[in-house]
Amino acid sequence: MAEASTGVSGGRLRFILSEMKPRGRWLTPFNVISIPVIIVGLVILWFRFTQGLGSVTNLSQAFPWGFWIGFDVVTGVAFAGGAYVITFVVYVMKEEKYRPIVRVTVLNGFLAYLFYAGALVLDLGRPWHIVNPIIGNSFGYNSVLFLVAWHFLLYMIAEAIEFSPAVAEWLGARKARRLLHAMTLAAVIFGITLSMLHQSGLGALFLLAKAKIHPLWYTEFIPILFFVSSIFAGLSMIIFEGTISEKVLKEYLGDKAGGHDNLVFGLAKGAAIAMFVYYFFKLLVFLHEGHWSELDTPWGWWFLVEVLGLVLLPCILYAFGARHRSLGIIKVAAVLTLIGIVVNRLNISVIAFNWQAPVHYIPSWQEIVVTLMIIFLEIWVFRWVVTRMPVYPGTNNRPAPAIDSD
Amino acid sequence: MDRRNFLKTAGVACAAATGARSARAQEHDTDPEEFVGVLVDTTRCIGCRSCEIGCALAHNLPVPDVQDDGALEAVRTTSETSWTVVNRFETDSGEVFVKKQCMHCWQPACTAACLTNAMAKTARGPVTWDGDKCMGCRFCMVSCPFDIPKFEYDEWNPRIQKCNLCNERLERGEKPACVASCPTDALMFGTKRELMEIARTRIYAHPERYVHQIYGEFEAGGTGWLYLSAVPFEQIGFRTDLGVTPYPEYTRDFLYAVPVVFFGMPALLYGLNLLAARTEAVRGAPNGAEHVPSPENPSTSE
Ligand code: SF4
Ligand code: SF4
């Protein structure tokens, strides 16, 4: 890092500036959709910061947390779980087979934290006090949220270190790369530990909402369920994201972004196992809590949709797809799993929260536009990085080819 | 900076990451027996809403028009402009008025939730909010089992609004404004110990007049505000399903597990890593020892 930042010579600075320039065609379908959304999102945020959260969100006294927390932060972080799973497999267990997807997964994870967990700032009423729990003028040690905030921060640093060799290569900073590369294992081990803690910590937040969450979802084991589900959420995201970038970046990457079918079967098998453990655990929790009578209510049906339709079914599909080497089935399983994670996280944070309230919260269109804006911004940065830095194996980003189909 | 403070600060880096619960010491600095609170005898309340006026005047909030009886038609909650409200309930034994405000829990959910200590239990008992610390995350609202903290959604610089038991008046040796403005002694201020004695005495003296329960004695681990009633509490808007566990208990196991994982996990991972490296070596290392695999020269081609 030292060399990269202090030793920036004029030449390197010019290089960075030249890399900043957009490449390829401007009028791509993605740009045409994302640019207006981002502009509208910025306007919405202007209202949000001048006239209060109430001016653009449907949040209320009974529903203090809505879509921005439930989807952007709580779900987004679960989706980003792939980074710690893959770094565990490759760096700790030395399964070299998965090495080709390490960088793109870590990059995805890092950007997800930066943007989705970063979206938390938009939701804070007094964001200028966000430094309070960090600089130490007021530590709420015994708050789970305090831990989660710290772990987010530390984990982002760990992921930045894990990804930094790619940045060093991009800048041609050899010495820095060696140094950063040497730090990788430590960063990975630290990162996995932090991930376990904050993935489960996000669940632990809701332990305090005992009086408000529907009994089918409230259990003292929420932290463990959140942790286990983040494993297959992350794996499914890798599969899903791989499918998309294979298509979208094809012209640029050739078959390098894809062409890892064997990896996908391995990931699918891992996801199937994690999901089975999760499903089994959910079942135990249900038997332990014994809310049989709740099952035959609309809430019960919804619960069954989540657990049977969006956990057990994709779990079986994954297992089937891995065994019969069917990419199509695995892709379906990945999509179902991702939907299941969204449903589960939203159930706990928003939908089954204050379930007895006479008027239930539904996100406003502005909340959704801002969420889309964040997703699009993340994709912009992701696209910028993968077309410049050595993220996918075998791509050397100079001279830069044009990309246009994204 | 005194020694104790220094040690506290020094422990911060560690505690921050591991969640060591050193802050608990703070709870033991005062004898919890001597926290103050208020006893509400709902059989004495006439629904005049003087307490609402007293509260609004004491805290610069909009003063309610108590002549307007319409306000009692529907059950109200506290709001960002009213820290306390009086509600009317039709019950088996007629009309009952119940004042609602922050319960000033013994071990509050809101303070356990707050990551900045903006929400804090003072040594005397009031649970107060500090705008210089709060970052507006609203976790206190999510956690509070009584749904008390309210948020100013229409402000660019929003505050959390809730009863502070007139902490500023208590410091001057005065009673809370609502207690001072109650014309019927329905509200009584004192330490919880005294108030519990009075409440029990009333029940013993008039067992036919009260249900034999003091709401707040144990609810959610015990609260500073205590209620007496002639009718079962669920008929007058109280949740009776909250249990007696203090709210911080619900996250205690998790917080205790954090340091274990934080220190144990890296050791475990490192051990696994060494093991994996050995196995690879024994297997005859398909990737030569010299070879440092990296994305640009992936070690295995699939
Ligand atoms: S009633 Fe709610 S706001 Fe008041 S002290 Fe208890 S948890 Fe905190
Ligand atoms: S909104 Fe403020 S007082 Fe409430 S938990 Fe967050 S930081 Fe603490």
Side-chain angles (χ1 to χ4, degrees):
Chain A
M1 192 78 70
E3 201 206 43
S5 55
T6 57
V8 174
S9 61
R12 189 166 292 161
L13 197 65
R14 263 199 303 284
F15 169 69
I16 294 176
L17 285 177
S18 77
E19 291 276 86
M20 285 295 164
K21 281 207 213 79
R23 292 180 189 164
R25 279 195 301 130
W26 264 98
L27 272 178
T28 61
F30 175 73
N31 289 359
V32 169
I33 297 170
S34 67
I35 292 174
V37 169
I38 291 173
I39 293 171
V40 175
L42 290 174
V43 174
I44 293 171
L45 287 184
W46 188 78
F47 281 105
R48 179 255 167 275
F49 280 108
T50 54
Q51 279 155 56
L53 278 163
S55 64
V56 297
T57 69
N58 279 348
L59 295 174
S60 64
Q61 305 298 355
F63 290 92
W65 285 357
F67 201 63
W68 288 352
I69 297 288
F71 183 79
D72 300 12
V73 181
V74 178
T75 313
V77 166
F79 283 169
Y84 82 86
V85 179
I86 287 298
T87 53
F88 172 75
V89 170
V90 173
Y91 291 106
V92 177
M93 301 312 290
K94 296 196 171 295
E95 281 293 340
E96 293 298 334
K97 169 173 145 186
Y98 297 97
R99 171 97 44 187
I101 57 169
V102 165
R103 277 193 179 170
V104 65
T105 310
V106 170
L107 174 66
N108 258 316
F110 176 71
L111 292 180
Y113 276 85
L114 199 63
F115 284 90
Y116 305 140
L120 187 66
V121 177
L122 307 180
D123 196 76
L124 293 180
R126 306 160 76 89
W128 39 93
H129 288 163
I130 195 172
V131 291
N132 279 349
I134 292 167
I135 58 173
N137 67 9
S138 36
F139 278 120
Y141 310 93
N142 45 1
S143 162
V144 177
L145 191 54
F146 176 73
L147 291 175
V148 170
W150 262 93
H151 290 174
F152 272 1
L153 190 76
L154 294 175
Y155 185 57
M156 279 169 69
I157 296 173
E159 282 200 310
I161 294 175
E162 286 166 26
F163 186 70
S164 60
V167 181
E169 280 163 31
W170 170 62
L171 293 172
R174 293 238 160 97
K175 254 196 254 151
R177 187 195 174 278
R178 263 203 302 283
L179 178 73
L180 292 167
H181 189 74
M183 289 165 69
T184 304
L185 182 65
V188 162
I189 288 183
F190 192 50
I192 296 168
T193 307
L194 290 168
S195 291
M196 280 188 75
L197 289 173
H198 71 241
Q199 293 286 0
S200 52
L202 274 179
L205 292 180
F206 296 96
L207 292 179
L208 281 179
K210 185 170 197 296
K212 305 182 188 173
I213 294 175
H214 190 283
L216 281 173
W217 281 275
Y218 186 90
T219 143
E220 58 191 299
F221 299 108
I222 291 180
I224 298 176
L225 291 170
F226 264 49
F227 168 64
V228 177
S229 54
S230 75
I231 298 175
F232 57 80
L235 291 174
S236 303
M237 197 64 198
I238 298 175
I239 296 173
F240 178 73
E241 189 274 328
T243 315
I244 305 270
S245 39
E246 190 179 333
K247 284 212 185 69
V248 169
L249 296 172
K250 190 171 220 148
E251 193 170 326
Y252 160 62
L253 294 166
D255 56 355
K256 273 155 198 146
H260 52 250
D261 294 0
N262 269 331
L263 298 195
V264 173
F265 298 134
L267 297 175
K269 199 168 138 201
I273 294 170
M275 285 179 96
F276 186 74
V277 170
Y278 177 80
Y279 174 76
F280 189 68
F281 205 69
K282 267 263 198 236
L283 197 70
L284 285 185
V285 167
F286 176 76
L287 294 176
H288 170 78
E289 308 267 341
H291 295 297
W292 288 100
S293 58
E294 300 284 350
L295 272 191
D296 197 20
T297 65
W299 286 107
W301 307 334
W302 180 230
F303 178 78
L304 291 177
V305 168
E306 178 195 320
V307 177
L308 299 181
L310 298 168
V311 177
L312 187 60
L313 177 64
C315 171
I316 294 169
L317 289 179
Y318 264 140
F320 187 85
R323 163 163 278 242
H324 297 278
R325 305 182 72 78
S326 157
L327 277 184
I329 291 181
I330 289 176
K331 284 176 191 167
V332 171
V335 171
L336 281 180
T337 307
L338 292 177
I339 296 173
I341 291 290
V342 174
V343 167
N344 171 258
R345 296 304 197 261
L346 285 183
N347 271 339
I348 287 174
S349 58
V350 180
I351 299 173
F353 182 88
N354 256 341
W355 55 290
Q356 286 158 313
V359 184
H360 205 284
Y361 159 90
I362 294 172
S364 67
W365 67 266
Q366 292 100 321
E367 285 173 87
I368 293 177
V369 169
V370 169
T371 298
L372 285 176
M373 169 184 111
I374 290 162
I375 295 174
F376 288 153
L377 283 174
E378 198 241 325
I379 295 176
W380 272 74
V381 175
F382 178 80
R383 188 176 62 172
W384 184 84
V385 173
V386 297
T387 52
R388 281 159 182 80
M389 299 184 193
V391 173
Y392 291 100
T395 53
N396 183 354
N397 286 289
R398 275 160 277 161
I403 53 155
D404 56 7
S405 57
D406 48 341
Chain B
M1 189 191 286
D2 63 28
R3 208 178 118 84
R4 193 163 158 268
N5 258 333
F6 169 75
L7 287 178
K8 252 186 168 170
T9 319
V12 146
C14 201
T18 64
R21 301 185 38 111
S22 43
R24 297 207 58 76
Q26 164 199 338
E27 279 169 36
H28 298 293
D29 286 351
T30 50
D31 180 358
E33 274 299 299
E34 292 309 296
F35 281 164
V36 293
V38 175
L39 172 65
V40 185
D41 190 333
T42 57
T43 65
R44 298 186 182 194
C45 179
I46 55 170
C48 70
R49 299 169 64 202
S50 304
C51 52
E52 288 187 24
I53 299 180
C55 176
L57 290 174
H59 301 105
N60 293 323
L61 299 169
V63 179
D65 173 14
V66 298
Q67 305 304 330
D68 171 19
D69 233 21
L72 288 175
E73 287 305 317
V75 173
R76 296 173 297 160
T77 59
T78 60
S79 74
E80 66 274 36
T81 51
S82 44
W83 289 1
T84 184
V85 290
V86 176
N87 281 315
R88 181 173 61 201
F89 293 90
E90 297 299 337
T91 69
D92 301 346
S93 33
E95 224 170 36
V96 176
F97 296 98
V98 184
K99 179 182 183 306
K100 182 182 175 105
Q101 72 299 306
C102 170
M103 299 290 282
H104 297 279
C105 305
W106 243 224
Q107 295 188 45
C110 59
T111 63
C114 183
L115 76 169
T116 62
N117 281 344
M119 221 34 120
K121 181 116 181 127
T122 57
R124 210 188 267 271
V127 176
T128 58
W129 176 81
D130 179 348
D132 289 335
K133 294 181 173 172
C134 173
M135 56 190 230
C137 67
R138 309 190 292 289
F139 191 23
C140 49
M141 301 170 71
V142 169
S143 311
C144 171
F146 302 100
D147 271 328
I148 292 303
K150 296 287 143 72
F151 183 79
E152 295 179 320
Y153 282 105
D154 294 320
E155 298 289 335
W156 71 270
N157 186 13
R159 289 169 296 179
I160 293 286
Q161 293 280 16
K162 77 165 198 66
C163 160
N164 66 352
L165 200 53
C166 285
N167 195 37
E168 64 288 343
R169 287 169 61 99
L170 300 194
E171 274 163 9
R172 296 197 298 265
E174 297 168 43
K175 289 179 184 176
C178 53
V179 178
S181 46
C182 178
T184 64
D185 272 346
L187 305 180
M188 188 175 256
F189 174 75
T191 65
K192 181 164 179 179
R193 195 164 39 88
E194 293 162 0
L195 296 177
M196 282 301 300
E197 276 167 16
I198 294 167
R200 287 208 186 95
T201 311
R202 287 191 195 163
I203 294 176
Y204 291 148
H206 301 281
E208 74 296 344
R209 196 184 287 167
Y210 297 103
V211 290
H212 295 196
Q213 181 193 355
I214 302 165
Y215 194 95
E217 182 176 13
F218 302 117
E219 277 70 15
T223 60
W225 281 64
L226 303 167
Y227 286 81
L228 285 173
S229 168
V231 295
F233 281 98
E234 49 275 17
Q235 290 183 23
I236 52 173
F238 286 89
R239 284 192 72 158
T240 48
D241 60 346
L242 294 178
V244 298
T245 312
Y247 262 60
E249 292 287 330
Y250 292 121
T251 50
R252 179 156 305 164
D253 285 348
F254 176 78
L255 289 169
Y256 278 163
V258 169
V260 178
V261 174
F262 194 80
F263 293 109
M265 204 56 201
L268 183 72
L269 290 172
Y270 190 61
L272 275 175
N273 179 253
L274 291 181
L275 210 66
R278 247 234 314 275
T279 326
E280 199 175 45
V282 169
R283 268 204 315 245
N287 323 310
E290 296 298 288
H291 184 86
V292 181
S294 64
E296 63 276 25
N297 47 346
S299 47
T300 48
S301 39
E302 293 295 335

